[in-house]
Amino acid sequence: MIQLEHISQTYLTPEGKRFDALKDVSIHIRPGEIFGIIGRSGAGKSTLVRCINLLNRPTSGRVVVDGADLTAMSEEELRRTRRGIGMIFQHFNLLSSRTVYENVALPLELAGVGKAEIRAKVEPLLKLVGLDEHAHKYPPQLSGGQKQRVGIARALTNDPKVLLSDEATSALDPETTTATLQLLKRINAKLGLTIVMITHEMNVVKQICDRVVVMNKGEIVEHGTVIDVFAKPQSDTTKALIGNVQARDLPESIIERVRAARERRGGRDEAHLLRLSFIGGDVTRPVISECSRRFGVDINILRGTVDDLRGQTVGTLTVLVEGSREVYEQLVDFVRSCGVIVEELSDVD
């Protein structure tokens, strides 16, 4: 559906220096999926999403949407193509002098659509986003979540195949964010839209996305399914972002307990710190108790989390294993044979 091929974006600063906002970025987004692009502020994610509809024309590279190369189009062809790409924003961009109905109808009015056809399009959209009873209210009379629903309805007026969401939940409270994401999931399922989510919040990604890329300083540093990225983060950027929702770093009080155990056992070879990640059905298997019985070792659970990611359960345990190096290595091999992801930690040395 969407192919970004070797996208680079270079600017000159006021001082005349070169700034690379995007560096050779390539992404393939499948039809009908919800795709996440995440990174900290300044990572290049908003610049990248604006390349998809060519609101931002890249310095180099190709943008192909539904088989059409946008970078090779004339301005008139590009205007027509953009009608099939909806976009919602962080700050809603509603006109306060127009009612909810009139805000949603605006793109159709600008396209010269008649009143009867506008009504036939707008009224079902307001019902879809749950605002049919608020059609004649003005934006100042709405909550933040309701304003964002107006923005979503407006983005759907031209029957787009693609919906771009640029930090659309950043201005919302957690409860409203969850409700908005649930609405987007329903729209994705009902209309078959391809949705691209730009966010700096891993909590948003884990609730809604199928796949995700992680960006840092204009480059992709990690990509994969949401489950794989959460369970097996590779880059420091990903680990830091996941840490915000999974509390991956150990508090000092637990670190002191680990150090005390190692001292008690006579050194680091006798006390081992592991992070275990379980996916799907493996979450319910009593792997820890199996290991304790099989190898005769003490296993102390220091921290645990369980997340639901797109209908699959991902559990993470941080444990301290006390035993000889030989037994420990056998235990790790056994745990991995059970389908558990094992990460050996050294952050208490």
Side-chain angles (χ1 to χ4, degrees):
M1 168 56 73
I2 300 172
Q3 292 174 265
L4 303 178
E5 301 176 359
H6 304 290
I7 300 297
S8 294
Q9 182 68 66
T10 301
Y11 300 105
L12 288 179
T13 68
E15 295 78 22
K17 295 182 179 179
R18 173 185 171 128
F19 173 70
D20 295 316
L22 297 172
K23 306 171 188 176
D24 194 28
V25 174
S26 294
I27 295 175
H28 176 221
I29 300 173
R30 301 164 185 157
E33 76 174 330
I34 303 178
F35 191 91
I37 301 175
I38 188 170
R40 299 186 182 96
S41 178
K45 55 191 185 297
S46 290
T47 301
L48 183 63
V49 77
R50 283 169 168 77
C51 289
I52 294 176
N53 56 10
L54 250 63
L55 289 178
N56 182 80
R57 185 175 286 273
T59 305
S60 61
R62 295 175 71 235
V63 178
V64 179
V65 179
D66 198 23
D69 184 353
L70 273 63
T71 46
M73 289 182 176
S74 68
E75 286 301 316
E76 178 58 31
E77 290 172 325
L78 191 54
R79 279 194 291 272
R80 290 198 300 268
T81 301
R82 283 189 182 128
R83 293 172 188 165
I85 305 174
M87 193 164 188
I88 53 178
F89 305 89
Q90 177 180 358
H91 297 297
F92 319 129
N93 294 350
L94 305 181
L95 297 177
S96 59
S97 61
R98 295 176 67 98
T99 65
V100 167
Y101 180 98
E102 290 167 343
N103 267 283
V104 175
L106 182 60
L108 298 174
E109 291 178 11
L110 295 175
V113 177
K115 289 185 178 180
E117 190 176 344
I118 288 176
R119 185 179 302 108
K121 173 66 69 172
V122 172
E123 289 181 352
L125 284 175
L126 291 178
K127 186 173 183 180
L128 176 66
V129 300
L131 290 177
D132 44 322
E133 295 181 359
H134 302 277
H136 302 296
K137 290 184 178 179
Y138 290 87
Q141 298 173 283
L142 304 177
S143 68
Q146 289 170 334
K147 291 176 183 177
Q148 193 54 278
R149 286 170 181 258
V150 178
I152 293 170
R154 182 182 57 192
L156 298 176
T157 53
N158 286 317
D159 299 317
K161 295 180 179 180
V162 175
L163 182 63
L164 308 179
S165 170
D166 189 5
E167 298 279 10
T169 61
S170 295
L172 306 177
D173 61 68
E175 184 177 350
T176 307
T177 291
T178 297
T180 302
L181 295 178
Q182 290 296 326
L183 172 62
L184 289 174
K185 285 203 287 189
R186 290 198 302 273
I187 290 171
N188 168 257
K190 183 178 178 66
L191 303 181
L193 280 178
T194 302
I195 299 179
V196 183
M197 299 289 300
I198 303 298
T199 182
H200 65 275
E201 301 174 279
M202 192 61 86
N203 193 48
V204 168
V205 168
K206 82 171 190 176
Q207 289 188 63
I208 192 172
C209 295
D210 301 303
R211 293 190 299 137
V212 62
V213 296
V214 182
M215 295 191 66
N216 186 43
K217 296 181 179 179
E219 299 179 289
I220 293 175
V221 296
E222 192 155 351
H223 62 89
T225 67
V226 171
I227 288 178
D228 284 344
V229 169
F230 262 78
K232 300 177 287 187
Q234 302 297 312
S235 75
D236 290 340
T237 300
T238 309
K239 291 175 183 177
L241 290 167
I242 290 175
N244 293 333
V245 295
Q246 281 193 341
R248 291 175 62 86
D249 294 333
L250 294 176
E252 188 62 31
S253 59
I254 292 182
I255 291 175
E256 288 301 323
R257 287 169 56 191
V258 174
R259 287 172 178 157
R262 286 180 171 174
E263 185 176 344
R264 184 175 64 251
R265 297 288 303 191
R268 61 174 296 176
D269 287 345
E270 297 294 321
H272 317 272
L273 190 62
L274 298 175
R275 182 180 289 124
L276 311 178
S277 297
F278 306 75
I279 300 176
D282 291 329
V283 172
T284 59
R285 180 170 179 175
V287 173
I288 299 299
S289 58
E290 284 185 46
C291 287
S292 186
R293 290 193 304 269
R294 179 184 289 255
F295 298 102
V297 296
D298 293 326
I299 302 176
N300 187 5
I301 298 175
L302 303 176
R303 167 168 285 182
T305 62
V306 177
D307 280 306
D308 181 74
L309 304 179
R310 300 291 279 152
Q312 286 208 62
T313 304
V314 176
T316 302
L317 289 178
T318 302
V319 300
L320 180 67
V321 180
E322 299 190 48
S324 69
R325 167 61 64 173
E326 180 182 0
V327 170
Y328 162 75
E329 290 175 350
Q330 293 174 9
L331 179 146
V332 169
D333 288 342
F334 171 75
V335 171
R336 285 180 171 143
S337 74
C338 295
V340 178
I341 300 163
V342 180
E343 182 182 356
E344 300 183 64
L345 303 181
S346 59
D347 50 0
V348 297
D349 295 338

